[in-house]
Amino acid sequence: MAVAAPAKAAPTVVPLPTVHGDLTGTLKKIRDTGVITLGYREAAIPFAYVNDKGKPIGYTMDLCYAVVDAVKTALDLPNLRVREMSITPQNRIALVKNGTVDLDCAPNTITPERAEQVGFSNPYYVSEVRLLVNRKDNIRGLDDLKGQNLVASAGSTGERLARTQADKGGFRVIPARDHGESMLTLETGRAKAFALDDVLLAGLRANARQPGDFEIVGAPLETELNALMLRRDDPQFKHFVDTTLAHVFSSGDIRRIQRKWFQQPIPPRNVNLNLEPSKEVIEVWHKGMQVTE
């Protein structure tokens, strides 16, 4: 007689964080001021961007607001004010370091260089840096860019990686202020390729004037772990943020958030990116359920 395989046990839901002992660092600052400041991007679709009313929305904004709700409960601050600040890849590190921004909700890549200046939450996503190009230009990768311009958002991982290849590939790197300006540079033909995380490129392509004109090409320049950015050497706040994310991952809320922003029509043009979570993303969520004191 066949014996059914035992059902997989559902993951234990990690409780929302609590705070024991004296408050320090960011949590003390939030309690003393009654304000938490979140950083966001103007055009990092679908992670953090503004809708037609100028309100920041997206996948990572939902994660940050989970942290905000946890702070309200743990610190008994039901009237906590949330300040949302538009920041760019160039100024994000400085604004986190100097205390202006408490939590940057953009798709920040964890790198050793950045980790010397700021802190990061546990990762919430995995992406690959690739190229967005116009189909008519028949560009398949960096090797096809000799003598051409490549655009990248200043301060982004895409810019750093492109610059390391520019001399060898014989192409020029044009820095843009942000992702929106980078996309405009590509659309107007001033650059033949745009280097950035593949998920962000998919969002920008979906909301272009002529989405069908563009495609994502080339071998990955780098595989990245994305995380929320916070101040360095603030273990109390990092543990608080990581525990909140562990709750989101283990409760299944992350699946709902994933479907909402990657597998359903999203503003401003109600385009569906149709992106399933990769096995690497699911593994990151699974690892993020493990929180130690």
Side-chain angles (χ1 to χ4, degrees):
M1 183 175 70
V3 178
K8 275 190 175 182
T12 301
V13 177
V14 175
L16 285 167
T18 56
V19 180
H20 304 287
D22 295 336
L23 294 178
T24 60
T26 301
L27 286 178
K28 182 177 186 302
K29 172 179 175 284
I30 293 169
R31 195 270 315 275
D32 291 348
T33 62
V35 178
I36 183 171
T37 302
L38 307 179
Y40 68 91
R41 299 288 186 279
E42 297 278 342
I45 301 169
F47 291 107
Y49 65 104
V50 294
N51 63 15
D52 56 0
K53 297 179 180 177
K55 172 73 175 174
I57 58 173
Y59 178 98
T60 41
M61 293 306 300
D62 284 0
L63 295 181
C64 278
Y65 268 96
V67 175
V68 170
D69 290 341
V71 168
K72 288 180 178 180
T73 300
L75 302 190
D76 192 21
L77 292 173
N79 297 318
L80 177 67
R81 290 193 296 121
V82 180
R83 178 183 296 136
E84 298 162 333
M85 179 175 292
S86 173
I87 60 180
T88 68
Q90 301 112 295
N91 65 19
R92 57 183 165 181
I93 289 177
L95 291 174
V96 170
K97 282 180 66 176
N98 69 19
T100 302
V101 170
D102 298 315
L103 194 60
D104 183 12
C105 309
N108 298 297
T109 302
I110 302 174
T111 69
E113 297 79 15
R114 291 173 184 170
E116 292 178 358
Q117 303 182 72
V118 293
F120 293 96
S121 70
N122 284 338
Y124 58 75
Y125 217 81
V126 182
S127 56
E128 296 176 337
V129 177
R130 297 179 66 197
L131 303 179
L132 185 66
V133 301
N134 195 310
R135 293 178 187 275
K136 67 179 175 58
D137 292 325
N138 295 315
I139 291 169
R140 311 314 302 167
L142 292 178
D143 292 344
D144 299 323
L145 288 175
K146 188 172 182 179
Q148 303 293 338
N149 292 334
L150 177 150
V151 66
S153 304
S156 68
T157 307
E159 183 195 28
R160 173 178 62 82
L161 294 171
R163 289 195 184 282
T164 65
Q165 301 286 331
D167 287 343
K168 176 183 174 183
F171 59 85
R172 295 174 294 273
V173 178
I174 302 174
R177 186 184 72 85
D178 56 23
H179 302 333
E181 185 176 294
S182 292
M183 187 64 194
L184 182 62
T185 303
L186 178 67
E187 286 183 294
T188 55
R190 287 175 287 158
K192 295 297 185 181
F194 174 12
L196 191 64
D197 299 8
D198 53 356
V199 176
L200 294 176
L201 291 177
L204 289 160
R205 176 183 61 186
N207 286 280
R209 287 189 291 271
Q210 299 292 334
D213 289 352
F214 301 96
E215 60 181 337
I216 299 170
V217 302
L221 306 186
E222 186 172 86
T223 299
E224 309 180 327
L225 293 174
N226 301 123
L228 304 177
M229 186 186 290
L230 44 103
R231 275 181 284 288
R232 193 168 181 258
D233 300 324
D234 191 348
Q236 188 181 66
F237 189 53
K238 173 173 168 53
H239 184 265
F240 192 96
V241 172
D242 286 345
T243 304
T244 303
L245 291 179
H247 174 80
V248 172
F249 298 158
S250 61
S251 67
D253 281 352
I254 193 64
R255 294 286 191 170
R256 174 185 57 78
I257 295 171
Q258 167 79 23
R259 286 192 295 271
K260 175 181 175 183
W261 295 105
F262 289 83
Q263 296 172 267
Q264 295 177 8
I266 59 174
R269 298 179 57 190
N270 292 321
V271 174
N272 188 337
L273 300 184
N274 287 313
L275 293 175
E276 293 267 357
S278 67
K279 65 180 187 300
E280 291 83 6
V281 169
I282 292 172
E283 180 62 22
V284 157
W285 294 343
H286 180 73
K287 288 181 179 178
M289 296 178 196
Q290 322 303 317
V291 176
T292 56
E293 291 295 333

